[in-house]
C-alpha cells in the first residue's frame, strides 16, 4: 500500500461501504466528503475531543452479509488534522489482510492488525448502545428485543420494574424519539431517576426539538428548586440531553441559570459536563465568562487544566475563551488558575 491512500478507498476496494461516525463528545455521522478530506490530510477532524478523533467505523458489505464495526482513535496534529504517518502505517498493515476479503482467517488477521496498531478503543456502554441503535436503523434492521419492555415501562412506569430494563432498549427509544414523542412528553417527569439518566445520555446524540428539551429541562429545574440537596447527576443528564438540540435559546437560558445557582455553579461534575457536551455554547461570551469563573472558583486545578487543554484545541470556542482569559478585568482567582495552567503540565 503506497503512502497517500485512504482507509475509505482500501475498504471500498474490498467490497464494503465505509460509514464514518464520531463518538467523542456525542455520536454523530460524518459525511463522506468530510471523512475523505480528513483522511487525505486536507481538513481537520470537525469534532476533536482530547486532541483525538474518536471514530466508529461501520463497514457495510456491498452484497449482503454481516457488517463489521471498528472503533479507532486517531491522534491529531496541532492543526487538528490526521497524523499521516499513523494513517500510512495502518493502511500498510491492513492491506495484506484485505487482499482476501473479510472472511474467516482474513477477518481474524485484521483483528490482530488493529489490536497491534494501538488505535483500538472501547466506547462507554451508553455510546456503544447508541451506536448500535443508530447503525441498526441505517442498515434497516428492527429494534432490539429490549425495545418492547422499555416502551411498556415508559407507558406505565408505576406498574413496571425499571431495574429489569436493558440499556440497548433505552438507546433504541432515544434514536426513535420523533415517532415516540407523544409518549415521552407526558412521561419524562414520571420515570425513575436511573432511567431518566440513561435516556438523557442517549438523547445527547439526538437533535431533540424544543418541546422535548423543555420537558427534560423542567424535570431538572424541579430538582434544582426542591428543598433537598439537588441530585447533580440528574441535572447533568438533562444538560446532556439538551446539548445537541436546535433550541439554542432554551439551552443557553438553562446553562446561565445553572452557572449562577449556588448549588451547581461550582460543582466540578456539572462544569465538566457543560464543557464537554455543550462545547460550542461557550462561543457565547457571557457563558464563557461564567463557566471559566466558576471553574476557577472550584480550585480544582486538575479539572481546569484538563478542560482548558481540550477546549483550546477546538477552533469554534478558542477565541471566546481566550478573550475572557486575557481580559485585564478578569477575577483574580481565574488569573491565578490560568497562570498555573500556562506554566504547568497539560495533556500530551
Amino acid at each position: 500500500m503506497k503512502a497517500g491512500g485512504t482507509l475509505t478507498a482500501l475498504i471500498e476496494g474490498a467490497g464494503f461501504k465505509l460509514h464514518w461516525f464520531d463518538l467523542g463528545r456525542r455520536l454523530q455521522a460524518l459525511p463522506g466528503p468530510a471523512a475523505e478530506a480528513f483522511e487525505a490530510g486536507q481538513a481537520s477532524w470537525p469534532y476533536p475531543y482530547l486532541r483525538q478523533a474518536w471514530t466508529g467505523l461501520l463497514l457495510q458489505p456491498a452484497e449482503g452479509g454481516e457488517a463489521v464495526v471498528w472503533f479507532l482513535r486517531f491522534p491529531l496534529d496541532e492543526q487538528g488534522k490526521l497524523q499521516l504517518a499513523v494513517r500510512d502505517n495502518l493502511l500498510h498493515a491492513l492491506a495484506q489482510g484485505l487482499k482476501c476479503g473479510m472472511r474467516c482467517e482474513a477477518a481474524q488477521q485484521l483483528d490482530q492488525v488493529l489490536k497491534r496498531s494501538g488505535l483500538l478503543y472501547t466506547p462507554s456502554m451508553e455510546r456503544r448502545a447508541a451506536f448500535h441503535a443508530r447503525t441498526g436503523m441505517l442498515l434497516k434492521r428492527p429494534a432490539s428485543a429490549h425495545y418492547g419492555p422499555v416502551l411498556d415501562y415508559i407507558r406505565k412506569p408505576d406498574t413496571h420494574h425499571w431495574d429489569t430494563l436493558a440499556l440497548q432498549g433505552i438507546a433504541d427509544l432515544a434514536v426513535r424519539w420523533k415517532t415516540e414523542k407523544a409518549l415521552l412528553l407526558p412521561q419524562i417527569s414520571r420515570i425513575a431517576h436511573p432511567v431518566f439518566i440513561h435516556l438523557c445520555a442517549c438523547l445527547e446524540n439526538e437533535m431533540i426539538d424544543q418541546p422535548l428539551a423543555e420537558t427534560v429541562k423542567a424535570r431538572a429545574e424541579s430538582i434544582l428548586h426542591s428543598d433537598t440537596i439537588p441530585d447533580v447527576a440528574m441535572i447533568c443528564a438533562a444538560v446532556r440531553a439538551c446539548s445537541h438540540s436546535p433550541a439554542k435559546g432554551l439551552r443557553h437560558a438553562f446553562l446561565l441559570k445553572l452557572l449562577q445557582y449556588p448549588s451547581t455553579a461550582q460543582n466540578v461534575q456539572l462544569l465538566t459536563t457543560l464543557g464537554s457536551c455543550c462545547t460550542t455554547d461557550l462561543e457565547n461570551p457571557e457563558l464563557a465568562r461564567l463557566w471559566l469563573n466558576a471553574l476557577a472558583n472550584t480550585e480544582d486545578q486538575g479539572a481546569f487544566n484538563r478542560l482548558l487543554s481540550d477546549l483550546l484545541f477546538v477552533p469554534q470556542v478558542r477565541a471566546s475563551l481566550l478573550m475572557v482569559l486575557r481580559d485585564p478585568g478578569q477575577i483574580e482567582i481565574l488569573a491565578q488558575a490560568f497562570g498555573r495552567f500556562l506554566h504547568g503540565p497539560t495533556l500530551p
Side-chain angles (χ1 to χ4, degrees), residues 326-338:
R326 292 170 175 170
D327 183 358
Q330 67 182 252
I331 61 174
E332 182 62 25
I333 197 169
L334 177 57
Q336 293 171 355
F338 187 45

Side-chain angles (χ1 to χ4, degrees), residues 73-282:
R73 179 178 59 187
F74 294 102
L76 305 175
D77 65 17
E78 290 302 314
Q79 294 180 308
K81 294 180 179 179
L82 176 63
Q83 294 182 13
L84 298 185
V86 173
R87 177 200 67 186
D88 292 342
N89 288 340
L90 178 63
L91 291 176
H92 179 76
L94 288 174
Q96 296 303 315
L98 284 173
K99 283 181 179 179
C100 303
M102 293 194 49
R103 299 176 180 84
C104 303
E105 294 179 4
Q108 295 175 8
Q109 181 180 347
L110 285 176
D111 286 341
Q112 292 302 314
V113 167
L114 292 173
K115 288 176 182 177
R116 289 194 298 269
S117 74
L119 301 177
L120 282 177
Y121 75 100
T122 302
S124 68
M125 291 189 300
E126 290 166 343
R127 199 71 92 225
R128 289 202 307 274
F131 181 86
H132 290 308
R134 178 79 64 84
T135 56
M137 291 189 72
L138 175 66
L139 296 172
K140 298 182 179 179
R141 294 175 178 169
S144 72
H146 304 294
Y147 183 42
V150 169
L151 286 179
D152 291 340
Y153 170 79
I154 298 294
R155 291 187 186 104
K156 296 182 178 180
D158 298 330
T159 60
H160 288 73
H161 295 293
W162 64 264
D163 53 355
T164 62
L165 302 179
L167 178 58
Q168 187 59 60
I170 295 174
D172 290 331
L173 172 60
V175 82
R176 293 167 175 80
W177 70 269
K178 289 182 181 179
T179 56
E180 299 296 348
K181 190 172 71 168
L183 172 63
L184 284 171
L185 287 176
Q187 301 297 79
I188 287 288
S189 63
R190 301 179 59 213
I191 59 179
H193 283 206
V195 179
F196 178 83
I197 288 172
H198 285 309
L199 178 60
C200 285
C202 294
L203 288 175
E204 174 184 18
N205 308 303
E206 308 298 325
M207 297 181 66
I208 64 173
D209 62 11
Q210 181 148 345
L212 186 52
E214 179 65 54
T215 302
V216 169
K217 180 179 78 76
R219 175 146 191 190
E221 289 184 335
S222 70
I223 295 168
L224 196 64
H225 297 147
S226 66
D227 294 332
T228 59
I229 298 174
D231 185 336
V232 175
M234 290 282 286
I235 296 169
C236 288
V239 170
R240 292 178 69 180
C242 298
S243 63
H244 201 34
S245 171
K248 195 172 181 179
L250 179 149
R251 184 172 62 254
H252 280 193
F254 183 37
L255 298 180
L256 285 169
K257 185 173 187 176
L258 294 176
L259 288 171
Q260 296 175 88
Y261 204 79
S263 59
T264 53
Q266 293 183 34
N267 184 279
V268 174
Q269 181 186 356
L270 176 66
L271 296 175
T272 299
T273 300
L274 197 158
S276 299
C277 303
C278 302
T279 305
T280 56
D281 291 308
L282 295 175

Side-chain angles (χ1 to χ4, degrees), residues 26-44:
R26 62 175 57 88
L27 169 65
Q28 44 198 335
L30 192 70
E36 290 173 16
F38 170 72
E39 288 187 83
Q42 299 169 353
S44 301

